[in-house]
Amino acid sequence: MGHKVVVFDISVVRALWETRVKKHKAWQKKEAERLEKSALEKIKEEWNFVAECRRKGIPQAVYCKNGFVDTSVRLLDKIERNSLARQSSLSKEGHKWSSEFVFELFGEHWKEFPDSLKEQTHLKEWHISNTLIQIIPTYIELFQAMRILDLPKNQISRLPAEIGRLKNLKELNVSFNYLKSIPPELGDCENLEKLDCSGNLELTELPFELSNLKQASFVDISANKFSSVPICVLRMSNLQWLDISNNNLNDLPQDIDRLEELQTFLLYKNKLTYLPYALLNLKKLTLLVVSGDHLVELPTALCDSSTPLKFISLMDNPIENTQCQDGDELVESERDRQHFDKEFMKAYIEDLKERESVPSYTTKVSFSLQL
């Protein structure tokens, strides 16, 4: 028995494919028009513009008016020219005293503190950022009038024990550095009200001695590797704001209700499977933000709209990898990504506080950006 051969008219096959190609092109055109009109594309454009402004050090107040972002290229050029003009008017060394009690230092050309700083022991504030400084000098203990140590986004790998002698210190910001531990002597700064250790990525615990910080009302230890809420934090009786998001928490302590003054509790980007009923005992709690992807059990009263508590359960965006239209991948460091994510969530949470009610569910949309 011979082989059977099926013969088609080539013109029929050609017509079929031409029809399919025509339909596909029409669909592509329609999809492009839809994306052009999409609000998501406008949001993405605004965030790209905001990222570019932040990269160039342009203040938010300049390009954001009444909550709206002006994304015109002409405005960006004008802002950049003004920014360069201001920078050139500053001291060529890249540091200045904005007042006789405030010291500011910035720029990656700085790897250590200027020698003249040691003589300025009357200073009350240090604002140091975006430098390559790794070590805080031990002579910091001489600055007994110090109120604010603002040291974000440097290369600081450790804090000296002498920091505990700053008895008047009220604010310490060491976010987005390279700290792996916090000195227990910090617990001697009994007037400390604000502690920000976020974005160091490697912190796993806080020393028990920080239990002495009874005046602390704000603690941010997000974007680290904490597997539980530090015991010392539970003993900060005046704590009103606690951000422990983006860590390795699997559960919360049953005595979390010891934080009687707590008003804002941020827990998103952890792996919590349940929330303890002790949260209901936090009578002053007005905002609770968690990631809902792993939650299987929570007190139903948390979702009761009749209470003043705003309970937000964020669902992570299932789209993990985003590419540009030309196929180029956007590469960014982990710290930059965490910093942008934190700024995004900060703006989002501030907006939530102003709302009278919250959505029944919230999907956090992520953009991959070059910062």
Side-chain angles (χ1 to χ4, degrees):
M1 183 176 181
H3 297 287
K4 292 183 178 180
V5 179
V6 180
V7 179
F8 289 96
D9 185 349
I10 190 67
S11 61
V12 175
V13 176
R14 179 179 178 181
L16 177 63
W17 279 105
E18 286 180 346
T19 302
R20 290 184 177 179
V21 169
K22 187 180 296 184
K23 287 183 178 180
H24 182 69
K25 287 183 177 180
W27 176 84
Q28 285 184 317
K29 182 179 179 181
K30 186 176 181 181
E31 184 68 8
E33 292 175 351
R34 184 187 69 81
L35 288 175
E36 187 177 350
K37 298 177 181 178
S38 172
L40 189 60
E41 284 297 305
K42 187 176 186 302
I43 294 173
K44 184 176 180 180
E45 178 187 356
E46 288 185 358
W47 277 104
N48 276 312
F49 181 82
V50 170
E52 179 69 10
C53 289
R54 286 179 176 171
R55 186 181 67 81
K56 295 180 178 180
I58 300 169
Q60 180 179 350
V62 178
Y63 58 82
C64 186
K65 303 294 184 182
N66 299 322
F68 294 95
V69 177
D70 187 346
T71 58
S72 64
V73 177
R74 186 176 300 175
L75 174 65
L76 184 60
D77 291 339
K78 180 180 178 182
I79 292 173
E80 189 172 5
R81 287 196 301 271
N82 292 340
S83 178
L84 291 173
R86 285 195 303 271
Q87 290 179 13
S88 62
S89 67
L90 296 177
S91 170
K92 292 183 179 179
E93 289 86 10
H95 69 85
K96 63 174 182 174
W97 281 265
S98 57
S99 78
E100 61 177 315
F101 298 109
V102 179
F103 174 69
E104 298 180 359
L105 188 71
F106 52 89
E108 293 186 354
H109 56 285
W110 285 103
K111 296 183 179 180
E112 57 184 20
F113 290 92
D115 294 335
S116 59
L117 180 61
K118 188 175 181 180
E119 310 301 326
Q120 309 295 324
T121 56
H122 64 281
L123 291 173
K124 296 182 179 180
E125 298 183 18
W126 285 8
H127 297 274
I128 302 167
S129 62
N130 294 291
T131 73
L132 298 182
I133 292 175
Q134 298 182 22
I135 303 296
I136 303 299
T138 56
Y139 64 69
I140 194 173
E141 64 180 322
L142 301 175
F143 292 78
Q144 288 299 304
M146 188 73 72
R147 299 289 193 276
I148 298 175
L149 271 177
D150 186 33
L151 313 171
K153 301 187 73 174
N154 296 291
Q155 304 279 324
I156 301 171
S157 57
R158 67 179 181 86
L159 296 176
E162 287 77 6
I163 198 172
R165 298 179 183 174
L166 303 179
K167 302 301 182 182
N168 294 306
L169 189 64
K170 291 186 177 294
E171 296 184 17
L172 175 61
N173 180 2
V174 287
S175 61
F176 295 94
N177 280 282
Y178 292 81
L179 297 173
K180 294 185 178 180
S181 64
I182 300 296
E185 289 80 5
L186 183 62
D188 295 332
C189 300
E190 296 183 354
N191 289 309
L192 193 67
E193 298 176 357
K194 182 176 180 179
L195 175 61
D196 189 345
C197 302
S198 61
N200 281 279
L201 304 184
E202 298 294 331
L203 280 176
T204 58
E205 60 182 359
L206 294 180
F208 181 78
E209 286 78 2
L210 268 59
S211 300
N212 296 328
L213 304 180
K214 302 301 183 183
Q215 300 301 317
S217 60
F218 178 103
V219 172
D220 188 343
I221 52 176
S222 60
N224 282 292
K225 291 185 177 179
F226 288 91
S227 58
S228 62
V229 179
I231 294 176
C232 63
V233 171
L234 295 174
R235 294 173 180 264
M236 296 178 184
S237 55
N238 195 46
L239 197 61
Q240 299 175 21
W241 175 295
L242 176 57
D243 188 349
I244 194 170
S245 58
N246 204 354
N247 276 280
N248 297 326
L249 270 64
N250 290 311
D251 54 30
L252 294 178
Q254 294 298 325
D255 58 344
I256 191 68
D257 53 359
R258 296 179 62 167
L259 300 175
E260 296 180 354
E261 301 297 318
L262 194 62
Q263 300 175 15
T264 301
F265 197 7
L266 309 182
L267 289 163
Y268 60 91
K269 281 197 173 182
N270 282 290
K271 297 182 179 179
L272 298 172
T273 57
Y274 74 95
L275 298 178
Y277 282 84
L279 285 173
L280 299 176
N281 297 329
L282 299 175
K283 303 303 182 183
K284 296 186 178 181
L285 188 63
T286 56
L287 180 62
L288 175 63
V289 184
V290 302
S291 288
D293 298 271
H294 302 281
L295 279 179
V296 295
E297 180 182 349
L298 70 156
T300 55
L302 288 177
C303 306
D304 189 350
S305 59
S306 63
T307 67
L309 174 64
K310 294 179 180 178
F311 173 72
I312 309 297
S313 179
L314 297 177
M315 307 302 290
D316 284 336
N317 186 357
I319 303 176
E320 297 180 352
N321 298 316
T322 304
Q323 294 183 340
C324 293
Q325 292 182 355
D326 58 3
D328 292 336
E329 294 183 357
L330 296 178
V331 181
E332 56 192 15
S333 74
E334 178 67 8
R335 277 182 172 76
D336 285 341
R337 188 182 68 81
Q338 295 287 2
H339 185 263
F340 178 79
D341 184 71
K342 191 169 186 63
E343 289 295 309
F344 180 91
M345 288 302 301
K346 181 180 177 181
Y348 176 73
I349 289 169
E350 287 299 319
D351 178 67
L352 286 176
K353 286 184 174 181
E354 295 177 0
R355 300 187 190 183
E356 294 183 359
S357 60
V358 297
S360 58
Y361 66 90
T362 305
T363 300
K364 181 166 69 67
V365 180
S366 300
F367 295 120
S368 179
L369 296 176
Q370 179 70 45
L371 296 182

